[in-house]
Amino acid sequence: MAHKVCLIRGDGTGPELVSAVETVFRAANVAIDWVEVEAGLACVEAGKPIVPDETIEKIREVGIGLKAPMTTPIGKGSVSPNVTLRKRLDLYACVRPVFSLPGVETPFKNLDIVIFRENTEDLYAQIEYMATETVAHSVKVISESGCEKIIRAAFEYARKNGRKKVVGVHKANIMKVADGLFLRTFKRISEEYPDIESWDNIVDNQCMQLVTKWSIYDVLVTLNLYGDIVSDLAAGMMGGLGVAPGANFGTNCAVFEAVHGSAPKYTGMNKVNPTALLLSGTLMLDHLGETKARADIEGALKATLMKGVKTYDLGGSATTSGFAEAICSELKG
Ligand code: NAD
């Protein structure tokens, strides 16, 4: 029976990336019954809310979604469709694996780290105002329950997946109240997992250590803003935004998406790399229990990269659709 999955085609280069994923999924004979839902800039331009209620209700009902990147409209009062979706669906855990891909040359050999980013709090609370005419305030919101959920998710993931170490990343030396709460919660929860080695790092030091000692890291867990920045850094270590996948988990639903944004300057050019969205799709297949399809697609992707078929960001000249077709040839071959 086909799996029902909500699909957001996204803005900018989003629709081209979704077409590439659909092409590869078809070639892999994965039975997905896509339920199209709307969100993003296209909704705003049609006079609708950036994330319509029907979209939220449908994803809640179906329980799973694949989302292409969406553009945040620029202008006073504009909210991010991505932040809105994560908050309204309470997708509190953003999980971003970073790993070496064959055929993608980087200085970071044998990279294999999973980043857990809290997804609904922190400076993304979007509470901002002008305190005076010339002074702006942006409020950082951290709750003990929010910290507990993401930290527990990281430790549980480590235990289930045979990972040995979890590192809590924060800036509690400066933000003693907000990050202090995260750090205290991290230390309290880590005691429940004596089988997993754990320690904490200050975020700036963590960034430096990621690029100098990446092989000692296994699972990182952190707050929303640090997670956003550290996971882009890690995406760069993996080969760039074009290859870095991600997933958002809540209690009752999961939405899979690439780390990157809508790359609007390349819209309609059939140029950007579909690998990140495709790998987000294979994370989704794993979640659906389609482990063979996941392995088949990832195998075909790696074989394609090894043959030197690459999009512009990896130094190649393949188009988005051409890259997808090359993966399909590997699947059929
Ligand atoms: P971006 O990720 O879209 O682009 C950053 C750089 O990476 C650009 O040079 C872009 O061309 C390149 N890039 C991105 N995806 C690529 C791919 N698949 N293949 C090759 N190159 C790729 O970030 P941005 O320019 O800061 O943001 C553009 C828009 O996307 C903004 O409106 C932003 O709010 C939104 N955004 C959305 C998400 C999301 O939907 N989850 C995430 C980040 C940014």
Side-chain angles (χ1 to χ4, degrees), residues 13 17 67-74 80 82 86 96 232 241-243 257-266 271-276 311-313:
T13 55
L17 295 170
K67 181 184 93 55
M70 300 191 282
T71 302
T72 303
I74 298 168
S80 157
N82 304 299
R86 291 168 196 159
R96 293 180 166 175
D232 263 35
L241 281 171
V243 295
E257 62 174 331
V259 171
H260 64 73
S262 57
K265 68 182 172 195
Y266 294 125
K271 186 172 164 107
V272 287
N273 191 346
T275 300
T311 43
Y312 84 96
D313 53 313

Side-chain angles (χ1 to χ4, degrees), residues 130-141:
M130 295 302 293
T132 70
E133 263 181 31
T134 52
V135 178
H137 285 184
S138 190
V139 180
K140 175 162 176 157
V141 178

Side-chain angles (χ1 to χ4, degrees), residues 92-105:
Y92 62 85
C94 176
V95 182
R96 293 180 166 175
V98 284
F99 46 89
S100 301
L101 276 167
V104 178
E105 288 305 317

Side-chain angles (χ1 to χ4, degrees), residues 166-194:
V166 176
V167 174
V169 182
H170 60 88
K171 188 79 185 171
N173 55 327
I174 301 297
M175 275 156 281
K176 295 181 194 300
V177 178
D179 288 29
L181 177 58
F182 173 83
L183 181 56
R184 276 202 308 284
T185 312
F186 178 77
K187 288 186 173 165
R188 172 169 62 78
I189 290 174
S190 65
E191 285 172 10
E192 295 176 32
Y193 296 85

Side-chain angles (χ1 to χ4, degrees), residues 138-210:
S138 190
V139 180
K140 175 162 176 157
V141 178
I142 303 293
S143 71
E144 186 173 8
S145 61
C147 294
E148 176 150 358
K149 282 198 289 186
I150 189 69
I151 293 165
R152 206 171 277 292
F155 276 100
E156 284 296 321
Y157 173 90
R159 204 173 248 178
K160 276 196 197 102
N161 292 278
R163 300 255 174 187
K164 305 278 180 254
K165 299 176 245 181
V166 176
V167 174
V169 182
H170 60 88
K171 188 79 185 171
N173 55 327
I174 301 297
M175 275 156 281
K176 295 181 194 300
V177 178
D179 288 29
L181 177 58
F182 173 83
L183 181 56
R184 276 202 308 284
T185 312
F186 178 77
K187 288 186 173 165
R188 172 169 62 78
I189 290 174
S190 65
E191 285 172 10
E192 295 176 32
Y193 296 85
D195 48 320
I196 312 262
E197 192 186 345
S198 62
W199 70 93
D200 67 279
N201 273 342
I202 292 172
V203 62
D204 36 351
N205 178 29
Q206 182 65 68
C207 289
M208 187 273 295
Q209 293 213 22
L210 265 184

Side-chain angles (χ1 to χ4, degrees), residues 95-98 112-116 157 163 218-221:
V95 182
R96 293 180 166 175
V98 284
D112 184 18
I113 299 171
V114 182
I115 299 168
F116 276 69
Y157 173 90
R163 300 255 174 187
D218 201 349
V219 176
L220 304 181
V221 57

